[in-house]
Amino acid sequence: MAGVQPNSPLPAPRRHDDHDREIESLEEFDRVAASGSLAGYRVQSVDLTDRTFALLGTDTTESVFLGCVMEPDAATKVRAGGALVFPPIPGLPFDPYRGALYGPDELFVGLVDAGYDSTPDARTYHWYQETKSDGDIFASMLRSIHDDAVSDALDEHLAGARVVGVMGGHALERGSVAYAGAARLGRRLARDGLTVATGGGPGAMEAANLGAYAAPFEDDMLDAALELLAKAPHFAPSVTDWARAAFDVRRGHPGGGASVGIPTWFYGHEPPNAFATHVAKYFVNAVREDGLLARCNAGVVFLPGAAGTVQEIFDNATPNYYQSRGEPTPMVLVDRAHWTERLPTWPLLQALAADRPMAARIALVDSVDEVPRALARLGAGAAS
């Protein structure tokens, strides 16, 4: 890439906990640059076009500029001063160096006027499909940089939070009893002070994010939202109609509660939902799956689902079995008939857990109403 100096000594690695050395906004840049030194800092995707004077007079030893727009004189000076410069990549529908998580408004720009296919989310998926098919190593590198940047932003956002995951199938339709139940669960968990994290897609995932969004409002807000959303029950045949209904809810009730969605462009037929206020969207599904479950330090709730949810159950069970992430975390499976008869996952989970510490961290319940109590019980056992 132009701007990278392969023969220059690499900047010293940043310590894994040293997020305060990252500059992700113009305000942060101005504050640090005023000291006269950017040495050792990582500047992510900040437009520095109007900061040439500051860059010319600032120490940039062992700093790194990731996708920062700057004037040629400034770029020449910071490289000569010992910085490593990764220039912006023109023509991409996404920013591989981004320093923050996505929001629904960013992913769905253009939805109202031109429909879903015009949005950055849809255009990024199409770019992914095209570059994946031709095996371009440059494109795969950009995807990797993007996903690493998203993981970094996610860690920053969730630092110190008690995160509970809610997993479930994308096929769950708005207007169904099960969808309403998942939404009530998300609201209850958020009101209990937990950060709700989902796979960020439709169905049960959207319902849990919706519930968290509704948490600050009176209870009738959720009832009204469910009624409105039921008019567009599924993202097929029209993602545009499905997403517009969600934004209608958000416009009627701005400033909802925060939650996290972690979707993937790997499942491009599944659009992200508009109720997760912070979205960590990935290209590589394996990174997304493992990262989502690893960050659920307060446990994971598994609503009825199909193959994807079964995979998530055992992706979560494996580190609990080996205690590779420390003490096992709670796992609550919802709907006894589904997990013992239709997809008999519970017996195998029990067999795995037998005579191991994780046995005290798993539970099977009949309904979402039992989940908060089960999480509290299993969590208390984990803390004892």
Short mmCIF file of all heavy atoms in Angstrom, two decimals, residues 168-200:
data_model
loop_
_atom_site.label_atom_id
_atom_site.label_comp_id
_atom_site.label_asym_id
_atom_site.label_seq_id
_atom_site.Cartn_x
_atom_site.Cartn_y
_atom_site.Cartn_z
N GLY A 168 -30.84 -17.06 19.57
CA GLY A 168 -32.07 -17.68 19.08
C GLY A 168 -32.18 -17.53 17.58
O GLY A 168 -31.41 -16.81 16.94
N GLY A 169 -33.17 -18.18 17.01
CA GLY A 169 -33.28 -18.28 15.57
C GLY A 169 -33.73 -17.00 14.89
O GLY A 169 -34.48 -16.20 15.45
N HIS A 170 -33.28 -16.84 13.63
CA HIS A 170 -33.65 -15.66 12.85
C HIS A 170 -35.05 -15.77 12.28
O HIS A 170 -35.63 -14.78 11.82
CB HIS A 170 -32.65 -15.47 11.69
CG HIS A 170 -32.77 -16.50 10.62
ND1 HIS A 170 -32.04 -17.66 10.63
CD2 HIS A 170 -33.55 -16.56 9.51
CE1 HIS A 170 -32.35 -18.39 9.57
NE2 HIS A 170 -33.26 -17.75 8.87
N ALA A 171 -35.63 -16.97 12.29
CA ALA A 171 -36.93 -17.18 11.65
C ALA A 171 -38.11 -16.75 12.52
O ALA A 171 -39.25 -16.70 12.04
CB ALA A 171 -37.08 -18.66 11.28
N LEU A 172 -37.87 -16.42 13.78
CA LEU A 172 -38.95 -16.03 14.68
C LEU A 172 -39.61 -14.76 14.16
O LEU A 172 -38.95 -13.74 13.96
CB LEU A 172 -38.40 -15.80 16.09
CG LEU A 172 -39.41 -15.62 17.21
CD1 LEU A 172 -40.23 -16.88 17.41
CD2 LEU A 172 -38.68 -15.26 18.51
N GLU A 173 -40.92 -14.81 13.93
CA GLU A 173 -41.60 -13.70 13.30
C GLU A 173 -42.14 -12.68 14.29
O GLU A 173 -42.62 -13.04 15.37
CB GLU A 173 -42.74 -14.20 12.41
CG GLU A 173 -42.27 -14.93 11.16
CD GLU A 173 -43.40 -15.08 10.14
OE1 GLU A 173 -44.57 -14.83 10.50
OE2 GLU A 173 -43.09 -15.42 8.98
N ARG A 174 -42.06 -11.43 13.89
CA ARG A 174 -42.76 -10.39 14.63
C ARG A 174 -44.25 -10.73 14.66
O ARG A 174 -44.80 -11.25 13.69
CB ARG A 174 -42.57 -9.04 13.94
CG ARG A 174 -41.14 -8.55 13.87
CD ARG A 174 -41.04 -7.41 12.87
NE ARG A 174 -39.76 -6.72 12.88
CZ ARG A 174 -39.43 -5.75 12.05
NH1 ARG A 174 -40.29 -5.37 11.10
NH2 ARG A 174 -38.26 -5.15 12.13
N GLY A 175 -44.89 -10.39 15.76
CA GLY A 175 -46.30 -10.68 15.90
C GLY A 175 -46.59 -11.99 16.58
O GLY A 175 -47.73 -12.25 16.98
N SER A 176 -45.56 -12.84 16.75
CA SER A 176 -45.76 -14.13 17.41
C SER A 176 -45.63 -13.99 18.92
O SER A 176 -45.02 -13.05 19.43
CB SER A 176 -44.74 -15.15 16.90
OG SER A 176 -43.43 -14.79 17.28
N VAL A 177 -46.19 -14.94 19.64
CA VAL A 177 -46.09 -14.96 21.10
C VAL A 177 -44.64 -15.11 21.53
O VAL A 177 -44.18 -14.46 22.48
CB VAL A 177 -46.95 -16.11 21.67
CG1 VAL A 177 -46.71 -16.27 23.17
CG2 VAL A 177 -48.43 -15.86 21.39
N ALA A 178 -43.89 -15.93 20.81
CA ALA A 178 -42.49 -16.15 21.16
C ALA A 178 -41.66 -14.89 20.97
O ALA A 178 -40.76 -14.59 21.76
CB ALA A 178 -41.91 -17.30 20.34
N TYR A 179 -41.95 -14.12 19.92
CA TYR A 179 -41.22 -12.87 19.68
C TYR A 179 -41.48 -11.90 20.82
O TYR A 179 -40.55 -11.26 21.35
CB TYR A 179 -41.66 -12.27 18.34
CG TYR A 179 -40.91 -11.02 17.94
CD1 TYR A 179 -39.81 -11.08 17.08
CD2 TYR A 179 -41.30 -9.76 18.42
CE1 TYR A 179 -39.12 -9.93 16.70
CE2 TYR A 179 -40.61 -8.61 18.06
CZ TYR A 179 -39.53 -8.70 17.19
OH TYR A 179 -38.84 -7.56 16.85
N ALA A 180 -42.73 -11.78 21.22
CA ALA A 180 -43.07 -10.88 22.34
C ALA A 180 -42.38 -11.33 23.62
O ALA A 180 -41.91 -10.51 24.41
CB ALA A 180 -44.58 -10.83 22.53
N GLY A 181 -42.31 -12.64 23.83
CA GLY A 181 -41.64 -13.16 25.03
C GLY A 181 -40.16 -12.83 25.03
O GLY A 181 -39.60 -12.44 26.07
N ALA A 182 -39.50 -12.96 23.87
CA ALA A 182 -38.08 -12.62 23.79
C ALA A 182 -37.86 -11.13 24.03
O ALA A 182 -36.86 -10.73 24.64
CB ALA A 182 -37.53 -13.03 22.42
N ALA A 183 -38.78 -10.30 23.57
CA ALA A 183 -38.67 -8.87 23.80
C ALA A 183 -38.84 -8.54 25.29
O ALA A 183 -38.10 -7.71 25.84
CB ALA A 183 -39.71 -8.12 22.97
N ARG A 184 -39.78 -9.17 25.95
CA ARG A 184 -39.96 -8.95 27.39
C ARG A 184 -38.71 -9.38 28.15
O ARG A 184 -38.30 -8.74 29.13
CB ARG A 184 -41.17 -9.72 27.92
CG ARG A 184 -42.51 -9.18 27.44
CD ARG A 184 -43.65 -9.72 28.30
NE ARG A 184 -43.60 -11.17 28.45
CZ ARG A 184 -44.15 -12.04 27.61
NH1 ARG A 184 -44.79 -11.58 26.53
NH2 ARG A 184 -44.07 -13.34 27.81
N LEU A 185 -38.10 -10.48 27.70
CA LEU A 185 -36.87 -10.94 28.35
C LEU A 185 -35.77 -9.90 28.20
O LEU A 185 -35.08 -9.57 29.19
CB LEU A 185 -36.43 -12.26 27.73
CG LEU A 185 -35.06 -12.79 28.19
CD1 LEU A 185 -35.06 -13.06 29.69
CD2 LEU A 185 -34.68 -14.04 27.41
N GLY A 186 -35.57 -9.38 27.00
CA GLY A 186 -34.53 -8.37 26.80
C GLY A 186 -34.78 -7.15 27.66
O GLY A 186 -33.83 -6.58 28.23
N ARG A 187 -36.04 -6.75 27.80
CA ARG A 187 -36.36 -5.59 28.64
C ARG A 187 -36.05 -5.87 30.11
O ARG A 187 -35.46 -5.03 30.80
CB ARG A 187 -37.84 -5.24 28.47
CG ARG A 187 -38.28 -4.01 29.25
CD ARG A 187 -39.73 -3.67 28.98
NE ARG A 187 -40.64 -4.71 29.46
CZ ARG A 187 -41.97 -4.68 29.28
NH1 ARG A 187 -42.52 -3.67 28.62
NH2 ARG A 187 -42.73 -5.66 29.74
N ARG A 188 -36.41 -7.04 30.57
CA ARG A 188 -36.15 -7.39 31.97
C ARG A 188 -34.65 -7.44 32.26
O ARG A 188 -34.18 -6.92 33.28
CB ARG A 188 -36.80 -8.74 32.29
CG ARG A 188 -36.41 -9.33 33.65
CD ARG A 188 -36.91 -8.49 34.82
NE ARG A 188 -36.42 -9.04 36.08
CZ ARG A 188 -37.02 -10.03 36.76
NH1 ARG A 188 -38.15 -10.59 36.28
NH2 ARG A 188 -36.52 -10.46 37.90
N LEU A 189 -33.88 -8.05 31.38
CA LEU A 189 -32.44 -8.15 31.59
C LEU A 189 -31.80 -6.77 31.61
O LEU A 189 -30.93 -6.49 32.45
CB LEU A 189 -31.80 -9.01 30.50
CG LEU A 189 -32.23 -10.49 30.48
CD1 LEU A 189 -31.67 -11.18 29.24
CD2 LEU A 189 -31.79 -11.22 31.74
N ALA A 190 -32.23 -5.90 30.70
CA ALA A 190 -31.68 -4.54 30.68
C ALA A 190 -32.05 -3.78 31.95
O ALA A 190 -31.23 -3.04 32.51
CB ALA A 190 -32.18 -3.80 29.44
N ARG A 191 -33.28 -3.93 32.40
CA ARG A 191 -33.70 -3.26 33.62
C ARG A 191 -32.98 -3.80 34.85
O ARG A 191 -32.88 -3.10 35.86
CB ARG A 191 -35.22 -3.39 33.79
CG ARG A 191 -36.01 -2.52 32.82
CD ARG A 191 -37.50 -2.71 32.95
NE ARG A 191 -38.24 -1.76 32.11
CZ ARG A 191 -39.57 -1.73 31.98
NH1 ARG A 191 -40.31 -2.63 32.65
NH2 ARG A 191 -40.15 -0.84 31.21
N ASP A 192 -32.49 -5.01 34.75
CA ASP A 192 -31.70 -5.59 35.85
C ASP A 192 -30.25 -5.12 35.82
O ASP A 192 -29.43 -5.58 36.63
CB ASP A 192 -31.74 -7.12 35.78
CG ASP A 192 -33.09 -7.69 36.23
OD1 ASP A 192 -33.88 -6.93 36.83
OD2 ASP A 192 -33.34 -8.88 35.98
N GLY A 193 -29.91 -4.25 34.90
CA GLY A 193 -28.56 -3.69 34.85
C GLY A 193 -27.59 -4.46 33.98
O GLY A 193 -26.38 -4.18 34.01
N LEU A 194 -28.07 -5.41 33.20
CA LEU A 194 -27.21 -6.20 32.32
C LEU A 194 -27.17 -5.59 30.92
O LEU A 194 -28.12 -4.96 30.48
CB LEU A 194 -27.72 -7.64 32.23
CG LEU A 194 -27.70 -8.43 33.53
CD1 LEU A 194 -28.55 -9.69 33.41
CD2 LEU A 194 -26.28 -8.80 33.91
N THR A 195 -26.06 -5.77 30.25
CA THR A 195 -25.95 -5.37 28.85
C THR A 195 -26.35 -6.55 27.98
O THR A 195 -25.71 -7.61 28.02
CB THR A 195 -24.51 -4.94 28.51
OG1 THR A 195 -24.18 -3.77 29.26
CG2 THR A 195 -24.38 -4.63 27.02
N VAL A 196 -27.42 -6.40 27.23
CA VAL A 196 -27.91 -7.46 26.36
C VAL A 196 -27.09 -7.48 25.08
O VAL A 196 -26.91 -6.45 24.42
CB VAL A 196 -29.40 -7.25 26.04
CG1 VAL A 196 -29.88 -8.28 25.00
CG2 VAL A 196 -30.24 -7.35 27.32
N ALA A 197 -26.58 -8.66 24.73
CA ALA A 197 -25.83 -8.84 23.49
C ALA A 197 -26.47 -9.97 22.70
O ALA A 197 -26.78 -11.03 23.25
CB ALA A 197 -24.37 -9.16 23.77
N THR A 198 -26.67 -9.75 21.41
CA THR A 198 -27.26 -10.77 20.55
C THR A 198 -26.43 -10.91 19.29
O THR A 198 -25.47 -10.17 19.07
CB THR A 198 -28.70 -10.40 20.13
OG1 THR A 198 -28.65 -9.39 19.09
CG2 THR A 198 -29.51 -9.86 21.31
N GLY A 199 -26.85 -11.85 18.43
CA GLY A 199 -26.21 -11.98 17.13
C GLY A 199 -26.54 -10.86 16.18
O GLY A 199 -26.02 -10.83 15.06
N GLY A 200 -27.40 -9.93 16.61
CA GLY A 200 -27.63 -8.71 15.86
C GLY A 200 -28.53 -8.82 14.65
O GLY A 200 -28.72 -7.83 13.94
#
